[in-house]
Amino acid sequence: MPMTMNRVSVPVTVNEEACIADKGCTVCVESCPLDLLAIDLVKKKAFMQYDECWYCLPCEKDCPTQAIRVDIPYLLR
Amino acid sequence: MSDLIAEVDVLVIGGGTAGPMAAVKAKEKNPALKVMLLEKANVKRSGAISMGMDGLNNAVIPGHATPEQYVKEITVANDGIVNQKTVMAYAQESFNMINQLDRWGVKFEKDETGDYAVKKVHHIGTYVLPMPEGHHMKKVLYRQLKKARVEITNRYMATRLLLDANGAIAGAMVLDTREGSFGVIRAKSVILCTGAAGRLGLPSSGYLFGTYENPTNAGDGYALAYHAGAELSGIECYQINPLIKDYNGPSCAYVTGPFGGYTANSKGERFIECDYWSGQMMMEFYKELEGGNGPVFLKMDHLAEETIGTIEHILHSNERPSRGRFHEGRKLDYRQGMVEMHISEIGLCSGHSASGVWVDEHAATTVPGLYAAGDLACVPHNYMLGAFVYGQFAGQSAAEYAMSHELPAVDAAQVEAERTRVLAPLSVVDGLPPAQVEYKLRRFVNDYLQPPKVTKKMEIGLDRFAEIGADLASMSAANPHELMRAMEVHFIRDCAEMAARASLYRTESRWGLYHYRVEHPEKDDADWFCHAQLKKNEAGEMTCFKRPIEPYIVELDDEEKDAYNRLRVVKQAEAA
């Protein structure tokens, strides 16, 4: 069947200068209860891959370099 | 067998609250047993308490409460429909569990003499013990898992339980959610600790994952137990909570109540005597919200600066710490304004109400070798401490069962059928996206199942759920993550059908708003003073039946029986 891609604003922002995923860190990817974060294989930085957030904050709290900011999803804000 | 991932003695499914406790206790019972803890996320940050918890809601502490008082309170709060033996088993072990958690390093609030500082929130007794530093709960549990040498398997979800030729547990079939591969774990006994069915109703924001419960808890265990032939109970006694509007998390009256905060109407007036969550309380909340005095608020703006500072510290660092961020965005300061509240989407959860998998006082389900604990196990109003206590019972019981049973043979036909079902969405080309199917399914749940419950609506709902059932085979998954979501849609659909059938079955009203049936508005003790059970019959159909209530072990007097029906504040007649 025909498909389309919808743009959505996602709640998790990664400060790529602070993110040390390029040094092998995957703390945020492992801490997310919903498995929504991933490492961009080209940029070697963490990013939010799926908009299925519970705004629960383990990714932000556990990040060793404070590179993550979780906002309340726009629909709820 | 190429699908075989592991052979263990005890398999614990779900590593949130009850699961880690069950795994540790199974190992303590017999360190020689091979105990595996399977978790859909990562046990370090999984489950309802991924960011900790701000207090114990049901601490039975000598000097403040007795097990008998607690059993009475929960019997009344749950409108009489309890197996008191299960509540009593919890109550008697409650204090030991608190002391054990204290030894493990959980920080409870204590008074100047070092005693636990228990607060009153319930209608009758005193059971709330704050944990202002409760955000470290998962770390405490993780240390114990490591110490007990429990084998941890993260990022796997169970999709069906495996049964032997006699209908006893033989293990579980699982999906590797990162690789998208199917596997079998053979086990002598299995413990379900998969939490609530929290992704059942659609939050009013329309955001699929903005649920009250951790949305990873999609009702997996309810569906697993159902398909294994286990009895479920009280499914019609939904979980519905008073929450911060839009944010959809607790505000939370259990924390603020002891400091003097309370639920108020738009005039700032108190309208319920007690903020403890019960169906009866939710009914009053609903009436006020929908009536001329709505909306409903949590009021703290009358409190002293120091008190509000303390409340903010607890609320903005535990359980749902992002609530502080939400208020900031709406420019709400507890000092100046009240917090607008609303009613949550419906869910199934025995931690808060009574909808769950039927268990006895040893955490045993009706399927041999299958145990359950935590939000999905039917021990009414069990909360986090109940999850720990029943986790302990389940771990001990499952270990004993494993010690006296051989590893059952695997039925290749079950494995083959499940492998086909689980992997199907990967080979459907251009099929329905799981998120779209989930949205439609959960919108129907809101449209047709939300109280007030109307017979015709629920019947239409069943038709819609059947149509969604037919759509499931058309779902496609572009990657392992979507495959996990697709299998969760199967669970959610099962739970929606269970909620509708159980609600239609009980032709009376009970538990306030949780089961308010418009055509049967009165409580009918003559016909319905019983448990309503639900299970899959021999023909594979969903059936409901009555289970008598065991004679009470703690009797109630008439005054007590009626206590939760008198929650509305009665205004004194003005002097003439």
Side-chain angles (χ1 to χ4, degrees):
Chain A
M1 64 189 78
M3 297 272 166
T4 185
M5 301 292 279
N6 286 333
R7 290 194 314 132
V8 289
S9 141
V10 297
V12 173
T13 308
V14 178
N15 173 351
E16 294 189 351
E17 296 204 348
C19 174
I20 52 167
D22 51 348
K23 307 270 196 307
C25 179
T26 58
V27 167
C28 61
V29 176
E30 293 316 317
S31 70
C32 177
L34 291 140
D35 212 7
L36 309 179
L37 305 177
I39 309 298
D40 183 313
L41 294 176
V42 178
K43 287 201 248 176
K44 304 266 194 287
K45 298 292 174 184
F47 75 107
M48 183 168 226
Q49 192 169 22
Y50 303 101
D51 179 30
E52 299 168 346
C53 186
W54 195 42
Y55 35 104
C56 57
L57 308 192
C59 57
E60 182 180 306
K61 299 280 178 198
D62 294 349
C63 174
T65 59
Q66 289 84 49
I68 292 186
R69 160 91 193 173
V70 180
D71 287 310
I72 304 295
Y74 177 71
L75 291 182
L76 286 62
R77 206 179 295 158
Chain B
M1 186 174 56
S2 60
D3 293 318
L4 187 68
I5 292 175
E7 289 178 354
V8 301
D9 294 299
V10 179
L11 174 65
V12 184
I13 302 175
T17 310
M21 183 62 73
V24 166
K25 292 296 166 183
K27 277 300 254 189
E28 276 181 12
K29 182 90 192 167
N30 183 348
L33 292 180
K34 198 169 175 203
V35 177
M36 180 184 275
L37 179 56
L38 191 85
E39 166 57 48
K40 190 151 68 163
N42 184 307
V43 291
K44 284 185 182 171
R45 285 295 199 184
S46 59
I49 59 164
S50 64
M51 289 300 285
M53 188 49 67
D54 46 33
L56 300 179
N57 296 334
N58 51 350
V60 184
I61 295 180
H64 298 278
T66 64
E68 287 74 19
Q69 282 170 336
Y70 179 78
V71 171
K72 275 188 188 181
E73 180 102 28
I74 298 306
T75 303
V76 181
N78 206 51
D79 234 340
I81 311 298
V82 294
N83 176 1
Q84 283 194 341
K85 259 200 276 181
T86 61
V87 181
M88 180 58 92
Y90 158 74
Q92 286 172 337
E93 200 52 32
S94 174
F95 188 53
N96 288 337
M97 181 56 72
I98 295 167
N99 284 330
Q100 175 178 263
L101 293 169
D102 187 55
R103 285 196 301 276
W104 284 0
V106 175
K107 293 190 184 71
F108 296 107
E109 189 164 314
K110 293 183 180 169
D111 63 18
E112 57 283 358
T113 65
D115 286 334
Y116 296 119
V118 194
K119 317 278 184 196
K120 181 167 163 63
V121 173
H122 292 61
H123 202 37
I124 310 171
T126 304
Y127 308 101
V128 170
L129 177 56
M131 303 189 300
E133 305 302 326
H135 50 82
H136 61 319
M137 186 59 90
K138 291 293 289 188
K139 283 201 177 82
V140 170
L141 292 174
Y142 193 69
R143 263 203 308 273
Q144 295 301 322
L145 284 170
K146 286 290 166 193
K147 208 172 134 194
R149 296 177 183 277
V150 170
E151 190 178 330
I152 297 168
T153 305
N154 289 316
R155 305 290 175 189
Y156 273 76
M157 86 188 275
T159 60
R160 284 285 189 268
L161 296 173
L162 197 54
L163 300 175
D164 74 5
N166 300 317
I169 281 298
M173 294 174 280
V174 300
L175 171 68
D176 177 336
T177 66
R178 290 262 172 95
E179 300 296 326
S181 59
F182 172 81
V184 170
I185 298 172
R186 298 180 66 191
K188 293 174 184 169
S189 58
V190 170
I191 306 173
L192 291 176
C193 301
T194 54
R199 231 156 81 214
L200 186 54
L202 183 65
S204 53
S205 65
Y207 190 65
L208 278 175
F209 288 74
T211 47
Y212 168 71
E213 292 286 345
N214 185 329
T216 197
N217 295 342
D220 310 27
Y222 288 78
L224 291 170
Y226 170 74
H227 289 289
E231 235 173 274
L232 292 98
S233 186
I235 298 298
E236 70 281 16
C237 181
Y238 298 166
Q239 168 182 226
I240 305 170
N241 296 327
L243 303 177
I244 300 170
K245 186 172 180 303
D246 298 340
Y247 179 76
N248 212 34
S251 59
C252 161
Y254 295 6
V255 170
T256 55
F259 290 106
Y262 57 87
T263 306
N265 59 24
S266 60
K267 296 170 183 160
E269 290 167 352
R270 201 188 281 262
F271 64 95
I272 37 177
E273 289 190 355
C274 157
D275 282 334
Y276 178 68
W277 293 0
S278 63
Q280 298 87 326
M281 180 271 198
M282 282 311 300
M283 181 59 105
E284 298 303 337
F285 192 103
Y286 168 77
K287 285 180 186 164
E288 203 75 359
L289 193 66
E290 301 296 323
N293 290 329
V296 170
F297 299 87
L298 183 74
K299 181 171 161 57
M300 289 175 278
D301 56 5
H302 56 293
L303 302 176
E305 169 60 34
E306 191 191 8
T307 308
I308 290 187
T310 306
I311 290 173
E312 279 178 338
H313 170 72
I314 300 172
L315 290 184
H316 301 172
S317 65
N318 284 292
E319 192 182 358
R320 299 306 310 277
S322 63
R323 49 195 156 191
R325 207 160 286 182
F326 172 79
H327 293 317
E328 204 181 300
R330 293 278 173 96
K331 299 187 176 56
L332 176 80
D333 185 328
Y334 297 159
R335 292 157 190 83
Q336 273 125 33
M338 303 194 290
V339 182
E340 187 185 356
M341 307 281 290
H342 75 167
I343 290 181
S344 72
E345 68 282 0
I346 68 163
L348 307 179
C349 174
S350 193
H352 292 90
S353 59
S355 31
V357 177
W358 180 259
V359 290
D360 67 10
E361 65 275 23
H362 307 291
T365 72
T366 54
V367 172
L370 182 63
Y371 301 84
D375 278 348
L376 97 156
C378 184
V379 183
H381 299 230
N382 223 7
Y383 287 96
M384 181 180 72
L385 196 58
F388 285 138
V389 168
Y390 268 78
Q392 169 177 310
F393 295 161
Q396 291 164 343
S397 304
E400 274 173 27
Y401 184 94
M403 280 147 62
S404 61
H405 288 78
E406 294 300 315
L407 200 59
V410 173
D411 172 13
Q414 281 177 54
V415 175
E416 193 47 46
E418 184 58 0
R419 189 200 296 107
T420 305
R421 186 184 78 95
V422 169
L423 300 181
L426 291 175
S427 43
V428 175
V429 180
D430 279 347
L432 292 166
Q436 236 177 342
V437 180
E438 179 175 337
Y439 184 91
K440 188 172 172 181
L441 168 61
R442 292 174 57 194
R443 179 177 62 77
F444 285 145
V445 167
N446 282 19
D447 290 349
Y448 297 113
L449 302 190
Q450 237 172 9
K453 300 182 185 179
V454 178
T455 304
K456 189 65 192 166
K457 278 196 187 178
M458 292 191 285
E459 287 168 357
I460 298 172
L462 280 172
D463 290 343
R464 297 290 91 83
F465 301 150
E467 289 158 12
I468 299 269
D471 288 345
L472 296 179
S474 307
M475 278 193 297
S476 70
N479 51 52
H481 184 84
E482 268 196 6
L483 184 58
M484 163 171 71
R485 295 286 177 252
M487 298 326 292
E488 288 171 343
V489 174
H490 283 251
F491 293 149
I492 297 167
R493 203 218 64 87
D494 287 338
C495 289
E497 185 179 346
M498 287 191 246
R501 292 202 190 278
S503 295
L504 281 166
Y505 182 64
R506 186 182 279 277
T507 50
E508 63 152 1
S509 288
R510 197 175 285 266
W511 307 291
L513 187 64
Y514 297 165
H515 185 66
Y516 171 44
R517 285 203 56 178
V518 178
E519 297 101 324
H520 307 280
E522 301 300 323
K523 186 155 76 178
D524 176 6
D525 275 334
D527 277 337
W528 289 105
F529 184 72
C530 61
H531 302 283
Q533 311 293 93
L534 178 149
K535 71 176 285 194
K536 191 171 173 175
N537 69 12
E538 312 263 303
E541 296 154 343
M542 197 178 279
T543 54
C544 295
F545 55 98
K546 292 180 180 180
R547 186 191 253 267
I549 291 175
E550 296 275 324
Y552 283 170
I553 49 177
V554 182
E555 280 303 328
L556 311 174
D557 63 38
D558 290 341
E559 173 93 353
E560 288 164 337
K561 271 183 201 164
D562 206 30
Y564 273 74
N565 296 329
R566 294 190 306 262
L567 288 176
R568 183 161 279 273
V569 170
V570 180
K571 284 204 179 145
Q572 299 290 329
E574 281 178 41

